[in-house]
Amino acid sequence: MTLSMSVTIRHAEPDDYDRVISSVDAWWGGRQMAGMLPRLFFTYFRPWTFVAVHEEATIGFLAGFQSQTDPRQVYCHFIGVDPDWRGHGIGEALYQRLFVEAATRGCYEVLAVTAPTNHGSIAFHTRMGFSFLPGPEYEGQVPYSPDYDGPGEDRVRFRKPLLDRSERSHSIDD
Amino acid sequence: MTLSMSVTIRHAEPDDYDRVISSVDAWWGGRQMAGMLPRLFFTYFRPWTFVAVHEEATIGFLAGFQSQTDPRQVYCHFIGVDPDWRGHGIGEALYQRLFVEAATRGCYEVLAVTAPTNHGSIAFHTRMGFSFLPGPEYEGQVPYSPDYDGPGEDRVRFRKPLLDRSERSHSIDD
């Protein structure tokens, strides 16, 4: 972990939503992402929603929740890092916090999806120890689920098992 | 309740998502709503997600969840009815199913939001016994929360307390 010691990972407070939602489109290079992040994720899933803070500035966030269909599963809906802060391990630290929270509560896997065109997210999830859920191959590269989030909304689906401590350390250091 | 006896309200199955997501923009008169309803709501909140079915056709749905910040609260993220089936009590029946599920699990209130321009939704929630959460008045009509779901995304916020049986019957019959 190369995370700078001056960055704090903590549960999101209600005010954090306003800071995050104003930044999220810019952090995704101008893509319209804000509509996918209504306030409900910060209001109702506080145990699973985290921010990375550096000197009062919110520089990253993760919005997750525990499945209510199978409470042993945790889902990461959104993770984002200020482009000025990428490459410092902020995303890794946010996910590690989620993994610890999930393992503490007895959950056995974390799930997530991303667009098959989002190569940065695919590489990041692979580095974090996620594997692909099966599907046909997207342009010969990754398995994906066509129309997963509606017509034309293809998604790559990720799963990370939560392992015992020795295996978890190993996967982090890979 | 004027709900036709040939309409069934049941928990959503995975396949129901594909039927709902293909219809949702049309049901909202062409507004782009599908992006607000990723599959996660059907996959991970099955105890709180219902469909109304008539002879194999999905004619309405409700996607809710239990708050993980305060598990005594339930939130309704999305409720929709096929325009051809409006005025038959389908929306009421979906909400009543949610209220029963919530009360059974010891929850004390149901929350929801809508756009202040969505007069149909505001009238519907008022009929269902929801009250407005406080805020400045939107065009002198209803209290609202400016920028609630991000810049320019104003919302009216609703709350319905779950009462004892006699009071609940009274509010339904109003």
Side-chain angles (χ1 to χ4, degrees):
Chain A
M1 300 290 294
T2 57
L3 181 63
S4 159
M5 297 307 290
S6 63
V7 174
T8 303
I9 308 289
R10 60 164 171 77
H11 283 290
E13 303 289 342
D15 284 355
D16 288 313
Y17 178 76
D18 298 295
R19 283 190 284 273
V20 163
I21 201 65
S22 317
S23 309
V24 71
D25 289 353
W27 288 5
W28 262 262
R31 285 180 62 195
Q32 301 290 309
M33 303 300 282
M36 292 171 58
L37 191 65
R39 185 182 296 263
L40 67 88
F41 288 99
F42 279 57
T43 304
Y44 298 113
F45 301 112
R46 192 169 180 281
W48 304 99
T49 299
F50 304 97
V51 289
V53 178
H54 172 73
E55 294 177 359
E56 314 275 308
T58 305
I59 59 173
F61 72 98
L62 184 158
F65 57 79
Q66 188 170 11
S67 172
Q68 293 173 358
T69 304
D70 179 353
R72 297 166 303 166
Q73 295 179 321
V74 168
Y75 185 84
C76 175
H77 173 53
F78 233 97
I79 178 167
V81 174
D82 183 336
D84 292 342
W85 278 88
R86 291 189 189 154
H88 290 82
I90 310 287
E92 287 82 348
L94 286 161
Y95 251 134
Q96 289 301 342
R97 179 67 183 264
L98 184 76
F99 297 159
V100 168
E101 194 80 19
T104 302
R105 293 175 184 241
C107 302
Y108 73 93
E109 64 181 1
V110 178
L111 299 153
V113 304
T114 200
T117 51
N118 191 339
H119 303 295
S121 174
I122 292 168
F124 170 66
H125 281 86
T126 303
R127 280 202 309 277
M128 291 303 299
F130 285 84
S131 54
F132 299 114
L133 290 184
E137 294 234 320
Y138 184 85
E139 297 183 352
Q141 296 173 331
V142 291
Y144 82 119
S145 298
D147 302 322
Y148 183 78
D149 274 336
E153 298 294 333
D154 303 333
R155 296 289 182 268
V156 174
R157 299 162 63 203
F158 298 108
R159 172 183 179 273
K160 180 182 166 72
L162 299 174
L163 307 169
D164 69 39
R165 182 173 298 206
S166 59
E167 287 171 288
R168 200 159 60 227
S169 302
H170 178 260
S171 70
I172 292 166
D173 296 340
D174 269 349
Chain B
M1 300 291 294
T2 57
L3 182 63
S4 159
M5 296 308 290
S6 62
V7 174
T8 303
I9 307 289
R10 60 163 172 75
H11 283 289
E13 303 290 340
D15 284 355
D16 288 313
Y17 177 77
D18 298 295
R19 282 190 284 272
V20 163
I21 200 67
S22 317
S23 310
V24 71
D25 290 352
W27 288 5
W28 262 262
R31 285 179 62 195
Q32 300 292 309
M33 303 300 281
M36 293 170 58
L37 191 65
R39 186 181 296 263
L40 67 88
F41 287 99
F42 279 58
T43 304
Y44 298 113
F45 302 112
R46 192 170 180 281
W48 304 100
T49 298
F50 304 97
V51 289
V53 178
H54 172 74
E55 294 177 358
E56 313 276 308
T58 305
I59 59 173
F61 72 98
L62 185 158
F65 57 80
Q66 188 170 10
S67 171
Q68 293 173 358
T69 303
D70 178 354
R72 296 167 304 166
Q73 295 179 320
V74 168
Y75 184 84
C76 173
H77 173 53
F78 233 97
I79 177 167
V81 174
D82 183 336
D84 292 343
W85 277 88
R86 291 189 189 155
H88 290 81
I90 310 286
E92 287 81 348
L94 286 161
Y95 251 134
Q96 289 301 341
R97 178 67 182 263
L98 184 75
F99 297 158
V100 168
E101 194 80 19
T104 301
R105 293 175 185 241
C107 302
Y108 73 94
E109 63 181 2
V110 177
L111 300 153
V113 304
T114 200
T117 51
N118 191 339
H119 303 296
S121 174
I122 293 169
F124 170 66
H125 281 86
T126 303
R127 280 202 309 278
M128 291 303 299
F130 284 84
S131 54
F132 299 114
L133 290 184
E137 294 234 321
Y138 184 84
E139 297 183 353
Q141 296 173 329
V142 290
Y144 82 119
S145 298
D147 302 322
Y148 183 78
D149 274 336
E153 297 294 333
D154 304 333
R155 295 290 183 268
V156 174
R157 299 162 64 202
F158 298 108
R159 172 182 179 272
K160 180 184 166 72
L162 298 174
L163 307 170
D164 68 37
R165 181 173 300 205
S166 59
E167 287 172 288
R168 200 158 60 227
S169 301
H170 178 260
S171 71
I172 292 168
D173 297 339
D174 270 350

